[in-house]
Amino acid sequence: MENAASRRYVFARGYIPMLKPFRRLPFAISVPGRMWCACLLAAVWLPALPARAQNEPVRVIAFGAHPDDCDLGAGGLAAKYAALGHKVKFVSLTNGDAGHQSLGGGQLAMRRRAEAQEVARRIGIEYEVLGNDDGRLLPTLEVREEVIREIRQWKADIVIGPRPNDYHPDHRYTGVLVQDASYMVIVPNIVTDTPALRRNPMFLYYSDRFTRPQAFRADIVVSIDDVYQKKVAMLDAHVSQFYEWLPWTVGQLDEVPKDPAVRKSWLATRPIAISNVRPEWRDAMEKLYGPEAQRIQHAEAFEITEYGRRPSEEEIRKLFPFFPTKWRSREPTGAISDRLHRLTCFSKLTFGCLLTS
Ligand SMILES: [Zn+2]
């Protein structure tokens, strides 16, 4: 029967021989000793299994309820990735066929699909508009499986969607659908017609201003000062929305200039397009950008969800190659904390085995 004394004996029986190889250090280390050292060093210093091979493009897929939601939440981020040769796809879960004061149905859906394709052409991304009806989206199993398929086919490193707290039911259910896909993308027995991913991607939420049950938390903030005009050009392609439907909903249709060039300049001054930095994002920006954060005016912010991969700071900097490489926050970095964590696990594993063997 195992008791404290026998556990100590087992511990000593395993531990003391293991230390023997170190008695003549540094002049002679036996083969078992070398193996033990190699294991310890590997556990502490080898980087975590990389999510993707070095120099491979980052693959990002963003979901929105309507064919302009991704553009508003992550248009600047997409333009930055595309300019560096990375791969971005926007997916609208509905066809947008309810978003207009005088058009509707198939005619509006066709117009909005064409607007989305124009966005894709302007910045060099893919844009897919699914056939679900606008204003009638539900978090069904069928749509969830469509989302799982999209993420797998894109081999996504990063998946972006809205939080499931929003004024619009389509936005809410898009948040639920992406959230519900966030583990299933790695389960091979689900959606068997599309191979499962081997690693769960990082899942992010777009920023929003809703506060119940809790406010958005900015984990990653990306400056879009350098692509701000590209983001305006993306929104400008959605003529039916930014020059017709949305001004109509707030009684400002008469204020929209008729000339296409003038109305684009007008759009660039509207709060919906400006993407101003919010005060509550400043802490995250200073960690990522250091002193440069003070100069940033336009930005997009994202919250890392709890259901996807939880990246270290090191991995965030690899997946978001936009932050100053010379800057590191003074807090313990992800790389160092990862290594400390691996050392702790290794120690527990080694000595735990000795105690119970
Ligand atoms: Zn929307």
Side-chain angles (χ1 to χ4, degrees):
M1 189 170 172
E2 192 179 72
N3 56 30
S6 71
R7 273 205 306 275
R8 277 199 298 276
Y9 170 71
V10 171
F11 174 82
R13 198 183 57 187
Y15 186 63
I16 290 169
M18 198 164 56
L19 289 180
K20 270 186 181 175
F22 294 93
R23 283 187 308 199
R24 293 192 299 276
L25 276 173
F27 305 105
I29 301 177
S30 67
V31 170
R34 286 175 206 163
M35 288 172 65
W36 197 91
C37 287
C39 289
L40 180 61
L41 287 170
V44 177
W45 290 111
L46 277 182
L49 190 66
R52 32 183 285 286
Q54 291 284 339
N55 303 322
E56 274 188 12
V58 179
R59 302 188 67 85
V60 182
I61 190 165
F63 292 90
H66 309 114
D68 61 346
D69 292 352
C70 301
D71 318 48
L72 286 164
L77 180 72
K80 288 173 82 86
Y81 274 124
L84 292 175
H86 300 290
K87 303 295 179 192
V88 181
K89 182 174 186 179
F90 283 178
V91 180
S92 174
L93 294 191
T94 78
N95 57 18
D97 63 356
H100 203 272
Q101 69 276 26
S102 55
L103 292 174
Q107 194 183 357
L108 179 57
M110 278 178 59
R111 188 175 176 199
R112 298 198 67 180
R113 187 166 277 116
E115 290 171 346
Q117 292 314 313
E118 175 60 17
V119 168
R121 190 193 65 77
R122 287 185 184 186
I123 64 160
I125 62 167
E126 288 195 25
Y127 209 137
E128 184 173 1
V129 177
L130 302 184
N132 303 298
D133 284 335
D134 187 351
R136 304 183 68 195
L137 185 67
L138 289 172
T140 62
L141 192 56
E142 186 185 18
V143 185
R144 185 203 295 172
E145 291 185 351
E146 280 186 275
V147 171
I148 292 170
R149 244 177 234 110
E150 290 282 353
I151 295 169
R152 288 181 177 177
Q153 286 168 352
W154 195 247
K155 297 183 172 56
D157 299 302
I158 299 171
V159 181
I160 314 177
R163 294 198 306 154
N165 316 302
D166 197 287
Y167 75 100
H168 196 303
D170 290 351
H171 297 175
R172 279 201 294 279
Y173 293 141
T174 300
V176 169
L177 286 158
V178 176
Q179 179 178 290
D180 288 353
S182 65
Y183 169 67
M184 291 301 170
V185 294
I186 64 163
V187 179
N189 279 327
I190 301 295
V191 191
T192 52
D193 58 16
T194 310
L197 299 181
R198 292 293 293 119
R199 291 180 64 100
N200 211 6
M202 185 195 318
F203 282 74
L204 304 176
Y205 295 130
Y206 304 112
S207 68
D208 62 53
R209 293 181 183 275
F210 302 104
T211 58
R212 306 256 174 106
Q214 73 275 327
F216 169 83
R217 182 194 67 225
D219 293 321
I220 296 171
V221 186
V222 177
S223 165
I224 60 162
D225 285 342
D226 55 332
V227 291
Y228 174 58
Q229 288 304 329
K230 283 188 181 178
K231 181 164 183 177
V232 172
M234 296 169 79
L235 304 184
D236 173 68
H238 294 285
V239 175
S240 70
Q241 301 302 293
F242 294 99
Y243 303 128
E244 298 173 16
W245 168 239
L246 295 172
W248 182 85
T249 61
V250 291
Q252 295 176 346
L253 193 55
D254 293 344
E255 296 177 20
V256 180
K258 297 286 179 278
D259 180 82
V262 179
R263 77 184 179 191
K264 188 176 174 187
S265 303
W266 170 85
L267 178 61
T269 66
R270 310 302 293 170
I272 199 167
I274 287 177
S275 310
N276 271 341
V277 168
R278 298 181 200 160
E280 61 268 28
W281 298 353
R282 285 284 174 196
D283 284 350
M285 289 170 65
E286 282 171 15
K287 280 181 194 161
L288 294 163
Y289 283 93
E292 279 185 32
Q294 296 301 321
R295 294 194 290 275
I296 298 169
Q297 295 186 340
H298 309 286
E300 289 169 350
F302 304 91
E303 178 176 334
I304 301 170
T305 81
E306 296 175 294
Y307 311 122
R309 194 168 68 254
R310 306 301 297 271
S312 64
E313 183 181 334
E314 192 176 20
E315 188 179 358
I316 288 172
R317 287 179 182 276
K318 280 182 189 158
L319 289 174
F320 293 82
F322 314 119
F323 306 122
T325 50
K326 60 178 183 283
W327 172 257
R328 287 287 186 276
S329 89
R330 288 188 185 82
E331 292 180 9
T333 66
I336 292 172
S337 57
D338 279 357
R339 282 162 187 165
L340 289 172
H341 177 71
R342 284 200 292 280
L343 177 60
T344 309
C345 292
F346 179 82
S347 305
K348 282 180 186 167
L349 190 69
T350 303
F351 298 116
C353 287
L354 290 170
L355 282 169
T356 55
S357 60

